[in-house]
Amino acid sequence: MVTTHEMVVVERIEPGLEVWACPRCGRRIRLRWPPNYDKQVLVPGDEDVPHAGASGGVRVSSVEVAPDVPRLSQVSPHESRWLRDSGIDWEASA
Ligand SMILES: [Zn+2]
């Protein structure tokens, strides 16, 4: 059985540039949103496990980090595809 880890936004460096982390294996990536998208793996964590971007991250970040988390609940199909290419299976968390 495949377990999916939920990644959450732990830090918002600037608008469109976020650090996502997995609380279960410690995977940590820095994500820059389109149009200047970029991804940097800071900590690989368990790369055998699929990772999903979760709406829970919005709740966490809205409470603990940023009051104005941008459009995480309104990911476009293009961005969803890009997230999936970046190792975050967005639709799996829907
Ligand atoms: Zn993980």
Side-chain angles (χ1 to χ4, degrees):
M1 176 172 173
V2 176
T3 301
T4 298
H5 290 178
E6 283 191 356
M7 297 195 72
V8 296
V9 176
V10 293
E11 185 180 352
R12 204 169 153 227
I13 299 169
E14 60 185 59
L17 181 60
E18 298 165 343
V19 175
W20 288 64
C22 173
R24 296 180 66 176
C25 70
R27 179 175 173 81
R28 203 171 178 91
I29 64 174
R30 194 174 65 188
L31 205 61
R32 186 185 289 279
W33 286 81
N36 300 312
Y37 49 82
D38 183 36
K39 183 190 75 166
Q40 183 176 11
V41 177
L42 304 175
V43 180
D46 188 347
E47 295 194 300
D48 292 333
V49 178
H51 284 82
S55 58
V58 176
R59 285 197 300 274
V60 169
S61 60
S62 65
V63 171
E64 297 181 359
V65 181
D68 58 340
V69 173
R71 66 208 170 96
L72 284 182
S73 59
Q74 317 169 22
V75 174
S76 72
H78 172 78
E79 288 171 337
S80 175
R81 189 164 57 246
W82 172 75
L83 279 169
R84 202 157 53 235
D85 291 344
S86 300
I88 299 176
D89 190 352
W90 191 273
E91 291 176 343
S93 68

